[in-house]
Amino acid sequence: IFAGMEPGSSAVLNRDNPFYDRLARAARASGIERIIGFGAHEGADMRLVDCTLGPSTSKVAVSAGGLRIDYRLGVPGRHWVINSLAVLGAAQALGADIGRAATALANVVALDGRGRRHEVGLGAKRFTVIDESYNASPASVRAALETLATMQPGKGGRRIAVLGDMRELGVRSAALHAELEEVVRANGIDLVFTAGTDIMHLSAALPREICGAHAETAERIATVVTAALRPGDIVTVKGSLASDMRVVVEALLGLGGEPARVVNG
């Protein structure tokens, strides 16, 4: 994030990034005079002191130049917490009131394809859909599954992930997809459905009791997933945009006897 390019400009950079020093040098070489680092790193200007991750919101404590700021963030997930530090860094760079900016973060809502949560169904037969269908990378899939792990299914429900291909990963694509098996197990995901070409390497790596099914296309897996659902399930759908996982989201949202209700958007 760059706040202006004139003399006195600031750059807001992730202090946890292993390439932070290189990025900071490049920013200074471009004429940026002030670097504001954010993250959990002890040297960060906007430093994460503590956070409590909930199923729908997070409580966050930040040290901003030695001043502690406590606030609530309106969306769940540690990745959103780190993003909120970047927002506060940008506010500081622009000379805005950081306290007011932090308070306003309670009103942040998830967007379509980027974590928007829906309740679907009628009465006790409800289930939850988390739409993460806009993009996917190893880091963002990990974040989505970690967020799913914080959520409590209804009685008899399960934590389910429906995953499509992560695109543009190059020669390591097969290995990076297979390595998601560790993320799935670490976060207690009960069932995983996959759709695509490279994501089949994850399907092959999963224990049989966790692997729901694999299909070549989103359209085919949507049929399988909708048939497998039961009341109380929480379903996260994620994949790169080109993997068409939005098809799965739309199929799930269409199952209820009434329009799906947006929970955090």
Side-chain angles (χ1 to χ4, degrees):
I1 302 174
F2 293 91
M5 296 299 291
E6 66 280 355
S9 298
S10 300
V12 182
L13 302 177
N14 187 342
R15 193 66 181 81
D16 300 330
N17 190 322
F19 301 106
Y20 170 82
D21 291 335
R22 178 183 295 181
L23 293 170
R25 286 196 300 270
R28 292 189 179 96
S30 299
I32 301 297
E33 297 182 4
R34 184 188 186 193
I35 307 295
I36 299 174
F38 67 90
H41 191 283
E42 62 181 10
D45 302 289
M46 289 291 165
R47 180 173 60 85
L48 180 64
V49 175
D50 190 21
C51 67
T52 301
L53 304 177
S56 58
T57 63
S58 298
K59 294 180 180 179
V60 188
V62 174
S63 175
L67 174 66
R68 177 175 170 126
I69 301 175
D70 294 272
Y71 59 95
R72 184 174 69 86
L73 181 60
V75 285
R78 193 176 190 279
H79 56 301
W80 279 103
V81 170
I82 298 300
N83 289 343
S84 75
L85 302 185
V87 171
L88 296 183
Q92 184 182 67
L94 294 169
D97 186 319
I98 302 175
R100 290 184 63 186
T103 299
L105 289 168
N107 299 319
V108 172
V109 296
L111 303 176
D112 280 337
R114 296 183 180 273
R116 178 160 287 180
R117 187 153 50 109
H118 306 261
E119 286 189 1
V120 185
L122 286 172
K125 297 182 178 180
R126 304 190 75 84
F127 62 91
T128 301
V129 178
I130 304 170
D131 178 8
E132 290 272 7
S133 62
Y134 185 77
N135 65 2
S137 66
S140 68
V141 172
R142 177 185 295 274
L145 296 183
E146 289 175 348
T147 302
L148 177 59
T150 69
M151 300 180 179
Q152 184 61 46
K155 184 178 180 180
R158 303 155 295 178
R159 297 181 182 91
I160 299 174
V162 187
L163 304 177
D165 283 343
M166 301 181 291
R167 297 295 182 92
E168 301 176 1
L169 294 182
V171 296
R172 294 200 62 230
S173 184
L176 290 170
H177 281 81
E179 288 169 6
L180 292 177
E181 182 266 344
E182 297 180 7
V183 182
V184 168
R185 291 204 295 173
N187 288 285
I189 307 305
D190 298 304
L191 203 57
V192 177
F193 295 88
T194 53
T197 303
D198 286 353
I199 197 70
M200 68 181 296
H201 297 286
L202 168 61
S203 182
L206 289 170
R208 181 175 299 179
E209 63 272 17
I210 298 178
C211 185
H214 174 77
E216 293 182 359
T217 66
E219 290 83 357
R220 291 181 179 179
I221 205 64
T223 301
V224 179
V225 173
T226 54
L229 281 186
R230 62 193 190 202
D233 284 343
I234 303 177
V235 188
T236 290
V237 182
K238 190 164 183 66
S240 290
L241 187 61
S243 67
D244 292 328
M245 297 305 287
R246 178 67 189 177
V247 170
V248 179
V249 173
E250 292 173 350
L252 293 171
L253 297 185
L255 287 178
E258 61 182 18
R261 183 172 71 89
V262 177
V263 178
N264 62 338

